[in-house]
Amino acid sequence: MGHARNYVSTDISRRILRDYFGFNVFFVQNVTDIDDKIIIRARQNYLYGRYVEQNPTLTQAVLDNITASWKLYAETNLPAAPASSPAAFAEWASKVDVLTEAKENPKFSMHFSALKSAHGAISSSVANPETSSKEALEAAKDVLILLLDKEEGASVRDPAIFRDLPAYWEEQFNEDMRALNVLPPTVVTRVSEYVPQIVAYVAKMMENGYAYEAQGSVYFDTAAFESGGKHVYAKLQPWSRGKKDLIDEGEGSLSVKTTADGKKSPFDFALWKASKPGEPEWASPWGQGRPGWHIECSVMASETIGSQMDIHSGGIDLAFPHHDNELAQAEAYHECNQWVNYFLHPGHLHIEGLKMSKSLKNFITIRDALNKYSVRQLRLAFALTQWNNSLDFKEGLIKEVKTFETTLNNFFAVVRALISDEAAEVKKGRHVPQRFGPPERQLFDDLESAQTDVHAALCDNLSTPQALLVLSSLVAKANVYISATKAEASIPALAEVARWITQILSVFGFDGREDSIGWSSGSTESVTDGSSSVHDIAMPYLKALSSYRDEIRRKAIAKVPYSEILQASDRVRDEDLFELGVSLDDREGSQGALIKFVDKAELLAQKAEKQAKESAKLERKQKSKEEEERKLRDRLAKGTLDPTKMFDNPDEFSAWDDNGVPTHDKDGAELAKSRRKKLQKEYDGQKKLHAEYLKWKEQTGQEL
């Protein structure tokens, strides 16, 4: 998903430059297929696969290897974890607070999970000797490959091993990009296909005095680069130039991180790396080696674009040292002051506030995301956030996306239905009036204002969120116009608004329909794919019509009440046509229903929402009824007491009037007027309850 955000956002920017502003965009995409991480992963995958093949049975030797690798992994990556024994680890793991530890060490969860999985494999194998070798090795893979690589990595020399892994993932990446409707690049460059040019590029920098050779490697001389006052290093992030952790990470995990390798300064970086055992290698004037990471893009971009380019893109995490080093290399090679005019750095993507990272193994794959969300929804999620801002992919954003999508879907469906309705009238030979009054003038003014605002938004840092906000506002105004004008609405005016909105959405990479009214929606477009005959397409609709006609004929012959005829009409609308993705909107007066083809998923959602509201209403009604019944039972229970006997208590009173209301207390003293008044009120209330009870008793023949 992090890659999706990067490449889709860049694709949207590219489309805006090309399709809105009219620039001729020459788009070069570099593929890194030689890199420290790729080398290590390819080597580890090969060694692991070979080990699994060689050990089909879970022997003691295999179990010992898993245990040794588990201890090595713990000592290397999680020293806090006791590796002395499985029991000690199990006790520690049961007490450790993973979330708290992860706040201090972002990789804690990943390492903890790897150790726990391998520990489970060890424990399971000891407890159950029948455990399959493949199952145990798979559970321990993350820790086992570390030991295998340490012991045997230097023996891996076949170039195909290092070539096959990036080739496989490049194709997987391309499939993901096609699924996301990302435009293919004009040119694709792969590092492995440009090694001779890289060697020549490095040699030229040495001639220019900006690089030096040391122990078979070649390094960029950052001090020499700045010494003449012509160049500046770390233009993009000058505040990061001294951060050794970033510099070391940029050099790669297989690089030596000290000046013992012959570097003049710890801030110098590798242009060419002398190969060690277990690494791919190519010939060069400095011996067998391979390109450094930063040099790749400088060379390939220079080869395809030249001594200057307009725009360089890439994630914000690449700004330093990668892009800063690219700039320095290219300016040292071309002897220019500005190799790139603009950098577009898309912001990071977070999931519910948490940073997503491949190295931390907390990422969502593009294919997983596409199982849950549509391509349109993902592209909308990215377009609704400014491309260079961080994006928090959370439930609130998805709700915003779905609301926006539904709003536009409904608008497009209404406009298409109105156009179809008008075309049907014309086909019947009926005259359709064309009106243009103050409401239409206002609608066109709204359209013109929206066009101005969208242009301003795209001129302001390609602001798609602001542009989409303008589209949403225009749709709201068009809906107000439809509601106000009803049958008098100008279809050409609404079509003009819908087509312009569709045009802007198409610029952002949302494919439009053939009729230019709205984006394509898959299920409702299938009738144009040519895969089915007219009969196959029409038959479900004809069956619905035929079944409805049969039912109406039977009811008419039986002379049923009109209400049953209306029920049949509602049923064909709400059930038969619903299943076919057709929505009928009843209109006022003599106008026929407005026919709309709507995505069935949307209709299902609307039906579910309607049913949920009706269920909630029935539930409230039922609860209200139950509450009324409870209150009635309570009143009736209270009413069983005869009011003339309610104060019959000699311990409290000594005299009563004819109705049984006390007049004197137990000592014979006359009650105060206020007390008499209160008791009389209680009597009157009970008299009313008792009368209600007697009436209920007489009507039902029951007693409480």
Side-chain angles (χ1 to χ4, degrees):
M1 278 288 285
H3 282 162
R5 197 285 162 100
N6 189 345
Y7 286 94
V8 171
S9 295
T10 300
D11 181 68
I12 293 173
S13 297
R14 175 187 179 186
R15 289 171 180 268
I16 293 171
L17 292 172
R18 186 192 71 172
D19 299 336
Y20 186 84
F21 290 110
F23 286 105
N24 179 24
V25 180
F26 183 76
F27 193 94
V28 180
Q29 181 174 287
N30 295 337
V31 176
T32 295
D33 57 357
I34 304 171
D35 170 73
D36 286 30
K37 291 180 180 179
I38 295 172
I39 292 169
I40 293 171
R41 180 57 66 187
R43 207 163 61 195
Q44 290 175 344
N45 284 352
Y46 168 75
L47 292 171
Y48 173 77
R50 188 177 69 178
Y51 190 84
V52 171
E53 286 182 6
Q54 293 172 347
N55 296 277
T57 305
L58 187 60
T59 63
Q60 186 59 46
V62 172
L63 191 57
D64 290 344
N65 259 349
I66 294 176
T67 304
S69 65
W70 177 71
K71 290 181 178 180
L72 175 64
Y73 191 97
E75 292 166 357
T76 304
N77 298 303
L78 218 59
S84 56
S85 71
F89 175 81
E91 183 181 358
W92 173 81
S94 66
K95 297 177 181 178
V96 69
D97 187 339
V98 178
L99 293 178
T100 301
E101 294 290 343
K103 290 179 181 178
E104 297 296 326
N105 175 11
K107 295 189 178 182
F108 183 91
S109 300
M110 177 185 70
H111 295 319
F112 179 79
S113 177
L115 284 170
K116 195 171 181 182
S117 178
H119 173 267
I122 297 170
S123 302
S124 175
S125 301
V126 171
N128 180 16
E130 300 300 319
T131 302
S132 72
S133 176
K134 188 174 182 180
E135 181 183 345
L137 290 173
E138 186 62 32
K141 179 179 179 181
D142 286 342
V143 302
L144 181 62
I145 57 177
L146 188 65
L147 179 66
L148 294 176
D149 194 51
K150 181 181 180 181
E151 293 180 344
E152 304 178 53
S155 67
V156 181
R157 296 183 178 277
D158 185 355
I161 293 172
F162 302 104
R163 183 176 60 247
D164 291 347
L165 179 70
Y168 170 80
W169 285 112
E170 180 186 346
E171 181 51 37
Q172 296 298 302
F173 166 81
N174 289 335
E175 285 186 18
D176 286 344
M177 293 303 104
R178 285 190 288 269
L180 291 169
N181 197 30
V182 171
L183 292 171
T186 312
V187 174
V188 174
T189 58
R190 299 183 185 91
V191 181
S192 59
E193 298 169 357
Y194 281 80
V195 175
Q197 291 90 333
I198 290 172
V199 171
Y201 204 95
V202 172
K204 175 72 178 295
M205 278 191 281
M206 292 182 74
E207 290 176 18
N208 292 348
Y210 299 118
Y212 59 90
E213 186 263 342
Q215 301 178 20
S217 296
V218 180
Y219 297 96
F220 188 86
D221 194 332
T222 52
F225 181 67
E226 291 189 302
S227 62
K230 183 179 179 181
H231 301 293
V232 176
Y233 177 64
K235 291 179 179 179
L236 298 177
Q237 289 189 356
W239 56 86
S240 297
R241 61 181 294 159
K243 293 183 178 179
K244 199 166 184 306
D245 58 332
L246 294 177
I247 295 170
D248 287 346
E249 185 179 354
E251 286 294 81
S253 53
L254 295 175
S255 299
V256 180
K257 304 298 192 301
T258 69
T259 54
D261 55 6
K263 285 203 294 185
K264 295 180 181 179
S265 165
F267 306 133
D268 294 348
F269 54 90
L271 303 172
W272 183 263
K273 298 181 179 183
S275 289
K276 300 185 288 294
E279 298 177 10
E281 57 185 24
W282 289 263
S284 81
W286 318 286
Q288 295 296 106
R290 59 189 175 88
W293 176 37
H294 311 297
I295 193 65
E296 303 169 355
C297 294
S298 296
V299 174
M300 294 188 290
S302 294
E303 285 289 319
T304 51
I305 297 175
S307 60
Q308 190 176 51
M309 74 171 86
D310 288 309
I311 297 171
H312 193 317
S313 183
I316 186 61
D317 54 311
L318 299 179
F320 183 88
H322 188 52
H323 288 164
D324 266 321
N325 288 354
E326 279 188 52
L327 282 176
Q329 292 163 163
E331 291 176 9
Y333 176 84
H334 295 292
E335 284 288 11
C336 64
N337 294 323
Q338 184 168 300
W339 183 52
V340 175
N341 290 334
Y342 305 97
F343 270 92
L344 301 188
H345 287 127
H348 284 303
L349 181 138
H350 297 77
I351 301 292
E352 294 291 347
L354 298 175
K355 182 180 178 182
M356 197 168 55
S357 167
K358 282 197 300 179
S359 64
L360 300 183
K361 296 189 177 181
N362 68 340
F363 60 91
I364 298 174
T365 68
I366 291 171
R367 294 176 193 192
D368 287 341
L370 287 175
N371 285 331
K372 190 173 183 181
Y373 311 107
S374 68
V375 174
R376 181 197 298 163
Q377 288 169 344
L378 289 180
R379 186 170 281 259
L380 272 176
F382 300 146
L384 283 167
T385 302
Q386 183 63 19
W387 63 266
N388 56 322
N389 291 347
S390 293
L391 186 154
D392 194 0
F393 196 81
K394 55 186 179 181
E395 196 59 36
L397 176 61
I398 294 303
K399 287 182 180 178
E400 181 183 357
V401 164
K402 290 181 177 179
T403 298
F404 182 89
E405 183 182 32
T406 299
T407 298
L408 265 67
N409 280 340
N410 290 341
F411 172 67
F412 290 140
V414 167
V415 174
R416 285 195 299 269
L418 290 171
I419 292 173
S420 176
D421 202 39
E422 184 180 67
E425 292 295 302
V426 171
K427 193 173 182 179
K428 292 175 183 176
R430 296 173 183 169
H431 176 69
V432 178
Q434 297 293 332
R435 305 171 186 83
F436 193 91
E440 288 70 35
R441 178 69 271 165
Q442 182 59 55
L443 183 60
F444 275 101
D445 286 346
D446 292 336
L447 172 59
E448 185 177 348
S449 177
Q451 291 169 336
T452 300
D453 291 344
V454 165
H455 183 77
L458 299 184
C459 286
D460 185 10
N461 200 21
L462 311 177
S463 180
T464 53
Q466 183 59 35
L468 291 176
L469 186 64
V470 173
L471 298 188
S472 180
S473 176
L474 179 60
V475 168
K477 292 172 182 175
N479 285 335
V480 169
Y481 167 80
I482 293 171
S483 298
T485 54
K486 296 184 173 62
E488 303 296 316
S490 168
I491 312 304
L494 287 169
E496 186 72 13
V497 170
R499 289 192 182 101
W500 178 77
I501 293 174
T502 303
Q503 178 186 340
I504 297 301
L505 292 172
S506 297
V507 168
F508 295 167
F510 300 99
D511 292 338
R513 290 166 49 99
E514 289 186 4
D515 60 9
S516 300
I517 304 292
W519 39 35
S520 61
S521 58
S523 61
T524 58
E525 297 298 310
S526 60
V527 295
T528 63
D529 63 8
S531 61
S532 303
S533 68
V534 173
H535 298 82
D536 292 337
I537 296 168
M539 186 56 68
Y541 303 93
L542 295 175
K543 281 186 176 180
L545 176 61
S546 177
S547 297
Y548 172 67
R549 178 178 178 274
D550 293 341
E551 183 177 3
I552 293 299
R553 286 186 78 250
R554 287 194 300 270
K555 291 183 180 298
I557 292 170
K559 298 181 180 180
V560 301
Y562 289 130
S563 60
E564 291 191 28
I565 303 291
L566 293 175
Q567 288 171 3
S569 298
D570 289 342
R571 186 161 51 253
V572 75
R573 177 194 65 192
D574 298 334
E575 295 179 11
D576 298 343
L577 292 178
F578 170 87
E579 290 298 322
L580 296 171
V582 176
S583 172
L584 296 182
D585 290 355
D586 293 331
R587 294 190 284 185
E588 296 177 358
S590 60
Q591 285 186 294
L594 193 61
I595 305 171
K596 297 189 294 186
F597 283 90
V598 186
D599 193 338
K600 188 177 176 181
E602 183 182 332
L603 284 176
L604 283 170
Q606 292 175 359
K607 186 175 182 180
E609 183 179 1
K610 183 179 179 181
Q611 288 175 341
K613 288 181 178 178
E614 289 175 352
S615 296
K617 185 178 179 181
L618 287 173
E619 186 177 351
R620 289 195 300 271
K621 190 174 181 180
Q622 181 63 27
K623 285 182 178 179
S624 177
K625 182 180 178 182
E626 290 173 356
E627 181 64 15
E628 287 296 323
E629 289 175 351
R630 185 190 64 78
K631 290 179 179 179
L632 175 62
R633 286 195 302 272
D634 289 345
R635 287 199 310 274
L636 292 173
K638 290 179 181 179
T640 57
L641 177 63
D642 188 334
T644 61
K645 299 177 181 179
M646 66 184 295
F647 300 117
D648 189 11
N649 184 5
D651 292 335
E652 189 176 0
F653 307 108
S654 60
W656 298 263
D657 64 13
D658 294 339
N659 291 326
V661 179
T663 58
H664 293 74
D665 64 17
K666 64 179 181 177
D667 298 323
E670 187 176 359
L671 297 177
K673 284 186 178 181
S674 58
R675 181 74 190 281
R676 285 283 305 276
K677 188 174 182 180
K678 183 178 180 182
L679 293 172
Q680 182 65 45
K681 187 174 181 181
E682 290 179 18
Y683 171 88
D684 293 338
Q686 184 61 29
K687 183 180 179 181
K688 185 176 180 181
L689 287 173
H690 188 60
E692 184 178 356
Y693 167 70
L694 293 176
K695 183 178 180 181
W696 173 83
K697 180 179 176 182
E698 181 181 353
Q699 290 176 342
T700 63
Q702 301 179 39
E703 286 188 2
L704 288 178

